[in-house]
Amino acid sequence: MSVNQQTHTGPPYGQPQPGYQGYQQPAYGGQPLPGVPHAQYGAYNGPVPGYQQPVPPQGYFPSLGFPSKGSPVSLNSDTSLAPNFIGSVRAPSTSGTSLSSGHLGYSPFGQGDVQNGIPASTAPMQRPPTSQPFLPGSAPVPVSQTSTFQQYGPPPASVQQLSNHMAGMTIGSTSTSAPPPAGLGYGPPTSVPPVSGSFSATGSGLYTPYTASQGPPPPSVSQGLPLAQPPFSGQPVSTQRLPTQVPGFAPPPSSTGIGPSSYPPTTGAPRPPTMPGPPLPGQTAAGPPTSQPNHVSSPPPPPSTLSGPHPGPPMSGLHGPPPPTHPPQPGYQMQQNGSFGQVRGPQPNYGGAYPGTPNYGSQPGPPPPPKRLDPDSIPSPIQVIEDDRSNRGSEPFVTGVRGQVPPLVTTNFLVKDQGNASPRYIRCTSYNIPCTSDMAKQSQVPLAAVIKPLATLPPDETLPYLVDHGESGPVRCNRCKAYMCPFMQFIEGGRRFQCCFCSCVTEVPPHYFQHLDHTGKRVDFYDRPELSLGSYEFLATVDYCKNNKFPSPPAFIFMIDVSYNAVKSGLVRLICEELKSLLDYLPREGNMEESAIRVGFVTYNKVLHFYNVKSSLAQPQMMVVSDVADMFVPLLDGFLVNVNESRTVIVSLLDQIPEMFADTRETETVFGPVIQAGLEALKAAECAGKLFIFHTSLPIAEAPGKLKNRDDKKLINTDKEKTLFQPQTSFYNNLAKDCVAQGCCVDLFLFPNQYLDVATLGIVTYQTGGSIYKYAYFQLETDQDRFLNDLRRDVQKEVGFDAVMRVRTSTGIRATDFFGAFYMSNTTDVEMAGLDCDKTITVEFKHDDKLSEDSGALLQCALLYTSCAGQRRLRIHNLSLNCCTQLADLYRNCETDTLINYLAKYAYRGVLNSPVKTVRDALINQCAQILACYRKNCASPSSAGQLILPECMKLLPVYLNCVLKSDVLQPGPEVTTDDRAYIRQLVTSMDVAETNVFFYPRLLPLTKADVDSDSLPAAIRNSEERLSKGDIYLLENGLNIFVWVGVNVQQGLIQNLFGVSSFSQISSTLNTLPVLENPFSKKVRSIVDMLQVQRSRYMKLIIVKQEDKLEMLFKHFLVEDKSLTGGASYVDFLCHMHKEIRQLLS
């Protein structure tokens, strides 16, 4: 983990923390404890279970044969081993404190749900290769990973040592850093001896346990090194350890922790660990050497301390000269300024000193005074993302192997479907799930899948094939009704097949029979998508349709608020003008000439106006329904029409509406009857469809669904706060149920100038699978572009109607909980009136029996829906996962981004029923339990002062802190009740890429952009200390784009970007960048356009001048810093998590 981040040693929440700073830690100096194996290794399932293999040099994955970037987690991350590394390496223990979590007590909130445990999230950092099976020939492949991607960073286990002194914390991550370039020829893992002075003890005081005056711990301590560590049964997963260090001590090599001599990897064979002695002071452990500063921290203890022979140079087994001393590696150099990983000393992957050699020269001097944890020494999201891009962005992700962890959502990669669904359709919290429920409960890692059934694919990937089996329909299992898929087993010469979900044997229908080849595969295996691909579609037969008749094409009804506010703001005229051209872009099936969707129009204030736009009319006709208590549709023929046939009448209507209501004085609106009217129109036309409702104010007029203003900020932080998120009446829940039954989806565009009660108005949208868009204080000149872009995309995007989704699983687990925008009338079927290409459904699984490692676990998501042309289809996605009996394998195959997506949704649902504080405490507690379980069962023994994180979860603390500080769980005074309800609903159906950038925004230094290339400048970490007054930065979170301008920016840059001559002349009311003909302006505008295209909503552009009033809003998104609302900084939260973990372990 790149411990690049800083960990502040300061008390997390503002109070002094007991655990850190001045307290004595058990082991000092980061030496490893005796006998502790490091969890360094990666995913290797490895050969002998109990044997440790030597550790290869950091960053070096045997299987690859070339170095790969190490994982920076030095937080002692155990990760440091190479992925394939088998043995457990142990990280030195540093003296740092370990973060332990405190209460076991799991918070009440939602226990059950969460209990399953969250899957480990994957850190974006490299993930262990696990299960990536792809390359066959590679070295031992880690857990089933394919070696292919092995590149990713060091084994998962790197332990980074936070300890590195937390003080000095340089936590170099051990494995964190990038691996040395191949050319280094790494010899033994040994790292090069550090230059003696190299890392000075400087920082070491950080987390140090003793106060400075206490001085380093007695030498004896160090012995704790790893002697031969016992083998670990489950290999440790990679872990990062952040040890805290004693001030004057250098931590042992970081994470990798192996004692110096821990065995270096030998070349081929694993060898038993040797050397008992701890790493010498100067050296880093041999384990993969880190040269990271990870340890940089204090200088090593004097040699004398070490007991045991010093290890000699590492290792014999390696070949090749030891690496040169390393200069920073290319490519991954120190993270300076945070942009990359921790700062590291010499090569990242090597340990500093020779492992074997004691570095005498650098004996520690007096310990430096303790200092705040260095943010560069704690895991950095930026480093993890960059490492994954460099390790996994170049090769296609081939889905043929079970249980492979895909590249991160922030990495651009090509997917080749060879039997498992693409990660664009399904991502899991873990790709290796526990075989028993006891193991799942112990780890607390939730087992969940985030499914996006209609996800848009990039142009170079193939859309799912449509399979037509004629009147007989898709072939299915007789018992569980699972659909034919690549995992079904054909037997008896192909006459029958055994279901992979329930094991039932079913006859193959005569028309579907085919002979088997010598391997038992059907001869037509590659000709049938359902036998060879993970995702495909079936044409549904009439049996899959409502009332046993094929559906009609859907309809779109545009319902426009024409009350005083809507007309006066220019909104009504804007909508009418846009619809004239937008109606030519309604969604259509593949090669159809025109869309089959019919359209209708309604306007409303306190009463409703329906329009007859039949093609035979010369002028549109308006019919008014004033009896809103008993809604009906006054006309059938002429209300829903084909756009091309009725174009002249529709254009005439859209020209007349703004004029008809130009002088209105009506300020009150209704809302419930509007949805009822749309629903009744679709019922009368016997079709599904979507209502686009443009609404401006709280519906206070007398009518069904009338609401009152119940906004009350005094309820915040009280037990009644949850009422702010709940609807104030059950009317809309009942209406939503009726809409779902008809296939009536509602998209809502809100333009409030005051409280509107989004929590209530949004219920129908939410339960029908629709989308909400909100433009507070709408002003034509500033918000027009954003609204029109959102409207265009919303009308044009792919959408399925009248959808039902069911997730089937193989025996042993079952889907128990669902999150997203949908309605459920039973416990298995997710019903959506509409499902578009941006919506996700998150499913949690629980055990109902034991699983086996041999057969793994299977998921099949089947979505039945009506296409925009009225065709009934089934879209099927299949995914196979590995199962494990060792916790280490679970922790090595988690995906942190998906885990955070699940946890945020779980928490955001929790606020409906529990006080926000209870929800926050439950989240912290669950994550502490996940990390404490790892520390207790997978990491090598080490001092309690070390914080040890699994390699693929090293970003769990930073991302979790972002969720805790979000507006829903910790609102600032300027956040309205409506904003919180809006964000809560948005996040509930976000995919993993959207939650990733929403909770940890992307921050780009625009002044560092290369105007001659298409690439984006390298991102930097979200902290004010990373900003320079002479630069311009862009921050995006999926909803907003901020352009922050420092007070000392050169006048030429200001002129090129804003067209004004000085900082003071820049207008902070700009909502678009001026189009200027110079390379810098073009580059920045192209970056903004590129980001807009990647997001599902058009982001609002906000110009922020340093020291201006808008800067407070901007700083709210610098999520690694303390927030004004009391949210902890990343460093403080890491310390707090460490304390919680320690409490759980003690």
Side-chain angles (χ1 to χ4, degrees):
M1 150 167 243
S2 173
V3 130
N4 225 151
Q5 292 50 137
Q6 26 199 136
T7 287
H8 292 94
T9 216
Y13 289 116
Q15 321 90 7
Q17 278 310 93
Y20 309 99
Q21 223 37 30
Y23 95 94
Q24 244 95 339
Q25 313 266 186
Y28 309 99
Q31 299 346 109
L33 296 191
V36 166
H38 267 143
Q40 293 311 218
Y41 9 75
Y44 190 51
N45 267 8
V48 201
Y51 218 61
Q52 327 249 174
Q53 306 213 220
V55 180
Q58 232 38 125
Y60 175 67
F61 295 135
S63 56
L64 299 185
F66 43 90
S68 75
K69 219 163 198 147
S71 61
V73 161
S74 187
L75 280 168
N76 265 186
S77 117
D78 284 300
T79 304
S80 23
L81 294 191
N84 309 281
F85 189 72
I86 272 217
S88 42
V89 187
R90 90 199 5 145
S93 61
T94 45
S95 59
T97 0
S98 50
L99 302 175
S100 115
S101 107
H103 2 32
L104 262 157
Y106 188 55
S107 122
F109 137 84
Q111 266 181 267
D113 292 323
V114 172
Q115 243 113 276
N116 219 16
I118 297 168
S121 42
T122 332
M125 191 115 193
Q126 13 228 162
R127 35 183 73 87
T130 4
S131 142
Q132 319 279 216
F134 281 153
L135 296 190
S138 5
V141 178
V143 173
S144 76
Q145 272 305 186
T146 177
S147 36
T148 301
F149 290 124
Q150 279 327 155
Q151 298 156 198
Y152 355 158
S158 71
V159 160
Q160 292 199 195
Q161 323 224 159
L162 234 177
S163 56
N164 292 200
H165 320 116
M166 282 228 139
M169 209 125 193
T170 303
I171 293 186
S173 42
T174 339
S175 39
T176 302
S177 24
L184 292 180
Y186 336 58
T190 65
S191 24
V192 172
V195 173
S196 68
S198 52
F199 300 108
S200 45
T202 25
S204 67
L206 294 186
Y207 219 127
T208 249
Y210 341 98
T211 55
S213 57
Q214 314 185 253
S220 58
V221 172
S222 52
Q223 315 189 215
L225 286 149
L227 304 175
Q229 6 205 140
F232 232 147
S233 57
Q235 289 114 288
V237 171
S238 44
T239 299
Q240 309 212 209
R241 231 170 237 150
L242 310 167
T244 32
Q245 204 54 70
V246 175
F249 269 81
S254 72
S255 89
T256 50
I258 288 169
S261 69
S262 292
Y263 3 88
T266 23
T267 36
R271 43 143 96 99
T274 22
M275 323 288 336
L280 302 175
Q283 15 188 152
T284 19
T290 4
S291 73
Q292 345 248 233
N294 230 157
H295 317 45
V296 129
S297 18
S298 16
S304 56
T305 20
L306 302 175
S307 55
H310 333 95
M315 35 266 326
S316 48
L318 283 150
H319 315 329
T325 304
H326 334 82
Q329 290 300 156
Y332 337 32
Q333 13 228 94
M334 325 223 340
Q335 261 184 206
Q336 356 104 286
N337 87 11
S339 54
F340 279 101
Q342 16 262 126
V343 173
R344 356 183 109 139
Q347 298 310 173
N349 305 193
Y350 291 89
Y354 237 178
T357 66
N359 241 160
Y360 295 113
S362 45
Q363 297 311 155
K371 334 195 269 243
R372 157 175 173 267
L373 202 47
D374 172 14
D376 279 331
S377 61
I378 57 184
S380 158
I382 305 303
Q383 182 68 38
V384 171
I385 289 169
E386 285 302 320
D387 288 346
D388 192 77
R389 277 186 187 143
S390 58
N391 292 327
R392 306 200 61 187
S394 53
E395 293 289 318
F397 178 71
V398 183
T399 71
V401 184
R402 184 174 84 188
Q404 295 179 89
V405 183
L408 299 182
V409 288
T410 44
T411 297
N412 278 326
F413 59 98
L414 183 70
V415 179
K416 293 196 173 167
D417 185 343
Q418 289 191 359
N420 282 291
S422 162
R424 304 192 203 286
Y425 295 123
I426 307 183
R427 276 191 178 262
C428 295
T429 51
S430 179
Y431 287 80
N432 200 334
I433 62 182
C435 283
T436 65
S437 60
D438 291 345
M439 190 173 154
K441 286 194 181 89
Q442 183 184 1
S443 72
Q444 285 292 315
V445 174
L447 305 175
V450 179
I451 305 174
K452 192 175 183 183
L454 299 179
T456 305
L457 299 183
D460 45 3
E461 290 180 20
T462 313
L463 292 171
Y465 289 100
L466 180 61
V467 179
D468 183 358
H469 282 315
E471 291 185 12
S472 57
V475 178
R476 305 177 67 175
C477 166
N478 274 343
R479 184 196 292 159
C480 70
K481 303 299 181 202
Y483 294 87
M484 180 54 63
C485 70
F487 313 119
M488 297 289 189
Q489 188 69 40
F490 287 88
I491 55 176
E492 297 177 23
R495 285 186 291 279
R496 307 169 83 193
F497 67 90
Q498 182 167 25
C499 179
C500 50
F501 295 95
C502 71
S503 303
C504 174
V505 174
T506 300
E507 293 284 334
V508 173
H511 71 88
Y512 198 71
F513 174 78
Q514 185 53 272
H515 296 286
L516 308 184
D517 65 12
H518 65 284
T519 64
K521 258 187 193 169
R522 282 175 53 126
V523 185
D524 61 353
F525 177 81
Y526 290 108
D527 302 330
R528 292 194 176 272
E530 72 274 20
L531 299 182
S532 54
L533 299 178
S535 301
Y536 42 87
E537 292 198 315
F538 289 120
L539 202 54
T541 59
V542 76
D543 306 332
Y544 292 86
C545 303
K546 264 190 198 154
N547 309 321
N548 277 348
K549 58 184 217 191
F550 285 111
S552 305
F556 282 1
I557 304 177
F558 297 91
M559 316 186 85
I560 306 167
D561 175 348
V562 288
S563 63
Y564 178 75
N565 279 341
V567 174
K568 187 190 65 163
S569 66
L571 179 64
V572 173
R573 185 174 297 278
L574 181 68
I575 293 168
C576 291
E577 282 301 315
E578 179 61 27
L579 287 178
K580 288 182 201 171
S581 56
L582 188 55
L583 294 176
D584 287 330
Y585 296 96
L586 298 177
R588 55 177 179 242
E589 224 40 80
N591 49 10
M592 288 174 54
E593 290 283 310
E594 61 176 48
S595 175
I597 293 172
R598 290 170 297 161
V599 298
F601 302 89
V602 173
T603 55
Y604 67 93
N605 40 46
K606 266 204 310 202
V607 298
L608 277 76
H609 322 104
F610 292 80
Y611 298 93
N612 183 344
V613 283
K614 197 171 176 178
S615 57
S616 57
L617 296 174
Q619 283 295 319
Q621 296 173 348
M622 177 165 90
M623 300 185 189
V624 180
V625 177
S626 51
D627 181 7
V628 291
D630 183 18
M631 202 63 224
F632 67 98
V633 178
L635 74 163
L636 288 179
D637 191 30
F639 179 64
L640 294 178
V641 298
N642 173 289
V643 175
N644 285 336
E645 291 172 10
S646 297
R647 180 177 305 277
T648 52
V649 194
I650 291 173
V651 171
S652 171
L653 170 66
L654 294 172
D655 283 335
Q656 290 177 41
I657 288 174
E659 307 309 326
M660 271 191 285
F661 299 100
D663 302 324
T664 184
R665 286 284 167 266
E666 186 54 75
T667 56
E668 294 187 359
T669 57
V670 295
F671 186 72
V674 180
I675 296 175
Q676 287 175 325
L679 171 62
E680 292 301 323
L682 294 177
K683 272 186 186 167
E686 297 184 339
C687 68
K690 185 181 273 198
L691 311 183
F692 294 83
I693 303 179
F694 304 91
H695 190 78
T696 61
S697 58
L698 189 71
I700 54 173
E702 275 309 321
K706 172 185 174 179
L707 301 178
K708 58 180 193 293
N709 186 337
R710 53 158 186 169
D711 191 18
D712 188 357
K713 284 270 179 123
K714 293 195 289 296
L715 298 180
I716 293 180
N717 295 326
T718 68
D719 286 349
K720 289 189 178 172
E721 183 173 5
K722 62 189 177 196
T723 61
L724 297 175
F725 295 109
Q726 298 166 351
Q728 58 172 286
T729 160
S730 62
F731 173 84
Y732 291 101
N733 294 75
N734 297 328
L735 182 53
K737 186 174 167 182
D738 294 340
C739 287
V740 172
Q742 180 56 40
C744 170
C745 177
V746 180
D747 279 1
L748 192 51
F749 292 81
L750 298 173
F751 305 87
N753 288 330
Q754 66 237 347
Y755 179 71
L756 193 76
D757 203 349
V758 173
T760 304
L761 297 187
I763 283 288
V764 180
T765 297
Y766 184 67
Q767 295 192 4
T768 59
S771 305
I772 301 188
Y773 298 85
K774 181 165 156 289
Y775 310 89
Y777 307 107
F778 178 83
Q779 289 183 309
L780 218 53
E781 56 280 7
T782 55
D783 299 309
Q784 166 177 335
D785 283 351
R786 182 163 59 109
F787 162 58
L788 293 181
N789 275 286
D790 283 342
L791 176 59
R792 286 167 194 154
R793 189 165 191 283
D794 195 59
V795 168
Q796 295 174 44
K797 67 185 173 188
E798 181 186 358
V799 59
F801 295 94
D802 223 349
V804 183
M805 186 182 98
R806 182 176 284 196
V807 178
R808 292 179 174 84
T809 53
S810 52
T811 309
I813 53 170
R814 61 193 170 87
T816 55
D817 207 355
F818 301 85
F819 303 82
F822 53 75
Y823 174 77
M824 292 188 79
S825 55
N826 57 37
T827 57
T828 56
D829 295 332
V830 175
E831 300 173 47
M832 294 153 290
L835 173 67
D836 64 49
C837 56
D838 299 320
K839 296 285 186 305
T840 63
I841 294 93
T842 300
V843 185
E844 185 181 4
F845 302 97
K846 292 257 171 61
H847 287 77
D848 57 7
D849 201 347
K850 285 194 174 150
L851 294 166
S852 95
E853 285 187 281
D854 296 337
S855 55
L858 300 175
L859 316 177
Q860 183 178 82
C861 162
L863 176 78
L864 174 64
Y865 70 99
T866 301
S867 73
C868 58
Q871 199 174 55
R872 201 70 176 148
R873 294 183 178 180
L874 284 151
R875 180 168 289 200
I876 314 295
H877 297 299
N878 302 287
L879 185 64
S880 58
L881 302 173
N882 286 327
C883 296
C884 58
T885 53
Q886 299 294 337
L887 284 164
D889 292 329
L890 163 68
Y891 283 100
R892 200 178 283 123
N893 291 277
C894 288
E895 235 259 302
T896 300
D897 295 320
T898 308
L899 186 50
I900 288 292
N901 179 283
Y902 165 84
L903 288 175
K905 290 171 180 178
Y906 184 81
Y908 281 16
R909 184 176 68 184
V911 299
L912 291 172
N913 308 306
S914 309
V916 173
K917 182 177 187 312
T918 307
V919 174
R920 291 165 48 82
D921 291 347
L923 270 184
I924 293 172
N925 187 45
Q926 183 167 2
C927 289
Q929 291 203 25
I930 291 170
L931 298 174
C933 174
Y934 173 77
R935 172 65 187 262
K936 180 178 174 185
N937 299 288
C938 308
S940 22
S942 57
S943 121
Q946 277 180 301
L947 168 56
I948 302 183
L949 303 172
E951 171 60 21
C952 63
M953 286 195 194
K954 62 192 176 198
L955 299 182
L956 186 59
V958 61
Y959 287 163
L960 178 70
N961 190 38
C962 296
V963 175
L964 294 170
K965 294 201 286 187
S966 63
D967 291 339
V968 173
L969 300 182
Q970 194 164 36
E974 74 295 340
V975 179
T976 66
T977 304
D978 276 344
D979 287 334
R980 297 178 73 196
Y982 174 63
I983 295 297
R984 196 189 76 76
Q985 291 199 16
L986 271 189
V987 169
T988 307
S989 42
M990 276 185 183
D991 70 14
V992 180
E994 289 171 319
T995 51
N996 174 273
V997 77
F998 179 77
F999 290 114
Y1000 191 93
R1002 177 149 59 161
L1003 182 58
L1004 306 173
L1006 295 178
T1007 25
K1008 306 264 191 309
D1010 176 359
V1011 295
D1012 299 320
S1013 94
D1014 293 337
S1015 61
L1016 293 173
I1020 59 172
R1021 291 171 58 180
N1022 281 294
S1023 172
E1024 193 174 0
E1025 60 188 36
R1026 310 277 171 183
L1027 303 180
S1028 143
K1029 291 184 175 183
D1031 288 324
I1032 300 174
Y1033 298 87
L1034 179 149
L1035 181 145
E1036 63 125 353
N1037 73 341
L1039 296 181
N1040 299 297
I1041 290 180
F1042 293 92
V1043 174
W1044 182 91
V1045 187
V1047 289
N1048 298 341
V1049 173
Q1050 295 170 7
Q1051 192 176 338
L1053 282 175
I1054 291 176
Q1055 182 71 51
N1056 285 343
L1057 189 57
F1058 299 102
V1060 296
S1061 55
S1062 69
F1063 178 82
S1064 60
Q1065 292 176 300
I1066 298 171
S1067 164
S1068 48
T1069 59
L1070 283 177
N1071 62 312
T1072 52
L1073 292 169
V1075 177
L1076 303 172
E1077 288 302 314
N1078 64 73
F1080 185 61
S1081 172
K1082 287 178 182 170
K1083 177 65 180 176
V1084 173
R1085 284 181 288 112
S1086 78
I1087 289 174
V1088 170
D1089 292 343
M1090 192 188 311
L1091 299 181
Q1092 292 285 21
V1093 171
Q1094 290 175 12
R1095 306 294 170 212
S1096 61
R1097 289 167 183 254
Y1098 195 83
M1099 296 179 281
K1100 181 176 185 176
L1101 182 74
I1102 301 169
I1103 307 295
V1104 179
K1105 295 160 69 175
Q1106 188 177 0
E1107 295 164 12
D1108 190 35
K1109 58 183 184 296
L1110 275 174
E1111 200 182 24
M1112 298 311 285
L1113 176 61
F1114 173 75
K1115 286 180 179 176
H1116 175 67
F1117 297 99
L1118 297 177
V1119 293
E1120 289 195 24
D1121 298 338
K1122 262 200 177 73
S1123 69
L1124 298 169
T1125 54
S1129 66
Y1130 175 19
V1131 168
D1132 291 346
F1133 184 70
L1134 198 59
C1135 296
H1136 180 72
M1137 283 300 290
H1138 188 179
K1139 191 177 90 185
E1140 295 278 317
I1141 293 167
R1142 295 177 59 145
Q1143 281 180 296
L1144 285 174
L1145 294 175
S1146 59

